[in-house]
Amino acid sequence: MRFVVAALAAVLGATSALAADLPAPVYTKAPAYVDPGYNWTGFYVGGNIGYSWGRSSDTSSLSNGVGTVLFTSAGSSNLDGVVGGGQIGYNWQMQNWVWGLEADIQGTDEKGSRGFTCGVSVCTPPLGGFLALVLPGPAVPVTLNQKIDWFGTVRGRVGVLATPRVLLYVTGGLAYGEVASNGTIGAALTPFSATDTKAGYTVGVGIEGAIGGNWTAKLEYLYVDLGRVSGTSATTIPALGGGTLSSNASSRISDNVLRVGLNYKFSGPVIAKY
């Protein structure tokens, strides 16, 4: 019996010594999950559609054949309509900031008109002598119609990420477009027309979000100022007391654009951040 106890003690002592020589176990913490977020860097193309509330602030004058201004009218008209087009751009993401360049081209249905009248014997002289009392020169009605045929912008964008997938941004840069003006002078409806392509500026704000894969959707507001457009037309009024009249119109064209858009980005949609 003493032999058995001594043998067991020897085995236990050897086991303890062996265990002491083994390295202590190392426990590692599982890596924490990190939301990969969204990588905004890269080229993109897309389309948009919206509505515009434009305005033409116009000053028109009528002059006689020797250039004397006979009548001036100032007023404004709304140039409202649907807009739609496409855009292309590039973004650079630096931490929570996104910098970008974007160009777009828009077709529009924005149009409006206004009318005014040059009073009796003002733009057309009466007949001479006694007849001037009973046959004064007639009033001359004028209509002016205007339409923004198309416009485009080239803009910078600066934004901050509200979340990895939602971008709030401001934008601004060059705007350019074509404005067509036409109308009539006098009871005989003598037509006139002019087309101007002008350059101005645009500023705006927007929100854009990643909606899945490489697709993003945006809501954007732009203020567009195309500066002044003008046109001159000469016509003969074939009415009682008629003569040659020149029409000169100078209009300042501005626009308020609200649109939604969809973009496809060509680089990978997500990156891992560890």
Side-chain angles (χ1 to χ4, degrees):
M1 186 64 179
R2 292 180 179 177
F3 174 76
V4 173
V5 173
L8 288 175
V11 171
L12 291 174
T15 303
S16 299
L18 180 62
D21 293 337
L22 293 176
V26 177
Y27 297 96
T28 59
K29 185 179 179 180
Y33 172 75
V34 178
D35 184 349
Y38 185 85
N39 178 15
W40 289 84
T41 298
F43 285 100
Y44 62 89
V45 297
N48 66 80
I49 189 168
Y51 198 81
S52 281
W53 295 266
R55 192 168 186 84
S56 169
S57 300
D58 165 70
T59 301
S60 295
S61 63
L62 294 174
S63 304
N64 62 17
V66 295
T68 302
V69 175
L70 304 174
F71 181 80
T72 299
S73 173
S76 62
S77 59
N78 295 326
L79 307 178
D80 299 341
V82 175
V83 300
Q87 65 269 354
I88 185 171
Y90 189 87
N91 287 323
W92 296 268
Q93 180 178 350
M94 292 182 290
Q95 297 181 343
N96 288 336
W97 292 90
V98 177
W99 308 77
L101 291 173
E102 182 174 289
D104 68 274
I105 190 73
Q106 307 291 128
T108 90
D109 188 36
E110 298 175 78
K111 56 189 175 182
S113 64
R114 81 176 189 94
F116 58 91
T117 300
C118 181
V120 173
S121 296
V122 176
C123 290
T124 51
L127 297 180
F130 172 76
L131 291 179
L133 299 177
V134 294
L135 295 174
V140 178
V142 179
T143 62
L144 176 63
N145 309 307
Q146 291 181 304
K147 182 179 185 298
I148 302 177
D149 288 326
W150 57 267
F151 71 88
T153 71
V154 179
R155 294 171 285 110
R157 298 202 315 170
V158 180
V160 63
L161 294 174
T163 74
R165 292 175 174 267
V166 176
L167 174 67
L168 305 175
Y169 65 88
V170 296
T171 183
L174 171 71
Y176 57 97
E178 182 178 89
V179 180
S181 304
N182 65 79
T184 57
I185 304 174
L189 303 181
T190 303
F192 65 90
S193 64
T195 300
D196 273 324
T197 301
K198 301 293 289 186
Y201 70 92
T202 180
V203 293
V205 296
I207 180 172
E208 187 170 359
I211 58 175
N214 287 49
W215 293 95
T216 66
K218 69 176 181 178
L219 175 66
E220 185 175 70
Y221 165 79
L222 292 179
Y223 173 79
V224 177
D225 191 322
L226 295 177
R228 286 197 169 273
V229 300
S230 61
T232 301
S233 177
T235 186
T236 299
I237 303 298
L240 183 64
T244 299
L245 284 178
S246 295
S247 170
N248 183 280
S250 177
S251 306
R252 186 176 186 87
I253 305 297
S254 60
D255 210 0
N256 295 277
V257 183
L258 184 64
R259 60 189 183 181
V260 294
L262 193 66
N263 290 327
Y264 180 84
K265 187 168 68 67
F266 287 101
S267 60
V270 295
I271 55 173
K273 298 177 181 179
Y274 295 100

